[in-house]
Amino acid sequence: MKLFLLSIFISFITSGTPPASLQGTYGSQGKDGKAPYSLLQIHYLAKGTILFYFERVLGAPGYNSGTLYGQLTLNKKTGHYEYLPVEEGDCKLEFIRAGNKITINTLAGDCGFGNGVIADGTYPLNDNKNPAFCITRTGKKVYFEKTPVDKFRED
């Protein structure tokens, strides 16, 4: 019995603490809902896959914007989540949850956002519910459960 309890205790210690859940809606709105603004929605699929939709719009004068729909994977070495494009590309983002916010850092490459638009920043949590869908900047409703990364279209 002692050996059994000891083995459970050791496996608990060595397994480490699971990373904090990222699911929810993050971001910030400009005055009166106008630019600049940012939106980050993170959805956990039943199979353990984590999808996200990110949108950022800069303010005047250009109102440049960018969006990204992707899948996050856990980097076991750092304990943070990362985005790597499904298709070939050099974009690599790191998502770090600390308290009620997520910080995104660009680790490599160009993620294809509009002129002067980057994902880097800290985004406060607005709602910790698992979002069922996102609404793209073109107004299209995209359901996370029905839309794998390779089937996403913004139009």
Side-chain angles (χ1 to χ4, degrees):
M1 182 66 173
K2 287 181 184 179
L3 184 58
F4 175 72
L5 291 175
L6 181 61
S7 66
I8 290 175
F9 178 72
I10 290 172
S11 66
F12 177 76
I13 291 173
T14 57
S15 67
T17 307
S21 173
L22 301 176
Q23 80 179 24
T25 301
Y26 301 79
S28 60
Q29 285 286 341
K31 283 187 175 183
D32 302 322
K34 297 180 180 177
Y37 75 87
S38 58
L39 172 68
L40 172 62
Q41 292 179 292
I42 299 177
H43 177 83
Y44 279 63
L45 295 174
K47 302 171 201 154
T49 302
I50 305 170
L51 297 178
F52 73 93
Y53 175 76
F54 175 77
E55 181 177 341
R56 191 164 196 184
V57 178
L58 301 179
Y63 292 96
N64 295 328
S65 64
T67 64
L68 189 60
Y69 185 84
Q71 180 176 330
L72 297 176
T73 56
L74 178 65
N75 180 328
K76 292 180 182 176
K77 194 173 188 178
T78 65
H80 301 142
Y81 287 88
E82 294 180 353
Y83 163 73
L84 302 166
V86 173
E87 297 176 5
E88 281 191 43
D90 60 354
C91 174
K92 184 176 181 181
L93 301 174
E94 175 182 56
F95 290 64
I96 303 168
R97 171 115 191 225
N100 285 332
K101 61 186 177 185
I102 286 186
T103 300
I104 300 177
N105 298 313
T106 301
L107 299 177
D110 176 16
C111 296
F113 297 118
N115 185 32
V117 180
I118 59 172
D120 295 40
T122 300
Y123 304 96
L125 178 66
N126 297 317
D127 185 349
N128 64 359
K129 293 178 186 157
N130 200 24
F133 60 86
C134 62
I135 298 177
T136 69
R137 63 184 167 176
T138 62
K140 181 179 179 182
K141 188 183 268 190
V142 176
Y143 288 89
F144 289 104
E145 293 286 337
K146 298 178 181 179
T147 313
V149 174
D150 60 342
K151 301 293 183 196
F152 175 79
R153 288 182 46 135
E154 195 169 8
D155 55 356

